[in-house]
Amino acid sequence: MPTLPWTTVNTPAPDTEAFVMASRFEVRSFKDVPRFFLRSLSAWKQVSGAPGAYGASLIAEPLKRTFWTLSAWEDKDALYTYARTEPHRSIMTGLRPVMKDSVFTFWQTPSADLPIAWPDARRRLAEQARNGS
């Protein structure tokens, strides 16, 4: 399972909150896996220069056609600005037709709790998927 471990982009100020996003993406076909993975790496690279980014991690499970992302941000606006900025914006639009399923979850945490552990993120994503939200 290829993993890009947590990479700290910017260190948050002490005693602040971080806005965290975790996601799980499943593509429809094995033929879509390489394209999705390459696009994920472009988005990953973009995070490293995104204003307000604290850090991120990515897990690819190509044999399951599944990709997981985890990132922490200064606030919701920083995350949404990143999502609307190129190349992420075009990546999202371009990959929509190959997506089978996606789940997102968001929460706030003390910045001292960064980096977020993957078991916590996966638990939250599973709860989100069960709730159908």
Side-chain angles (χ1 to χ4, degrees):
M1 164 167 57
T3 299
L4 295 174
W6 184 267
T7 299
T8 300
V9 176
N10 292 300
T11 302
D15 302 322
T16 60
E17 292 271 308
F19 186 75
V20 179
M21 182 200 79
S23 62
R24 181 183 52 77
F25 301 101
E26 183 182 350
V27 296
R28 293 184 187 280
S29 167
F30 284 111
K31 71 179 177 60
D32 299 317
V33 167
R35 183 172 148 211
F36 190 95
F37 185 68
L38 290 173
R39 298 297 192 283
S40 297
L41 294 177
S42 293
W44 170 267
K45 184 177 178 185
Q46 182 185 351
V47 169
S48 66
Y54 289 148
S57 180
L58 170 73
I59 295 176
E61 296 179 315
L63 298 178
K64 294 181 179 180
R65 303 181 330 267
T66 304
F67 299 85
W68 307 77
T69 71
L70 179 58
S71 58
W73 301 84
E74 185 176 290
D75 54 30
K76 183 170 32 172
D77 289 340
L79 169 61
Y80 287 13
T81 297
Y82 159 77
R84 290 188 307 263
T85 303
E86 295 297 338
H88 190 274
R89 180 182 174 146
S90 293
I91 291 168
M92 285 191 320
T93 304
L95 290 174
R96 254 186 217 121
V98 305
M99 299 309 300
K100 179 178 180 183
D101 187 37
S102 42
V103 178
F104 299 87
T105 190
F106 306 89
W107 70 96
Q108 300 259 150
T109 192
S111 60
D113 290 350
L114 298 178
I116 302 298
W118 269 109
D120 181 31
R122 286 184 181 236
R123 177 188 56 78
R124 290 172 184 266
L125 284 163
E127 287 173 5
Q128 188 74 19
R130 274 194 304 278
N131 293 334
S133 304

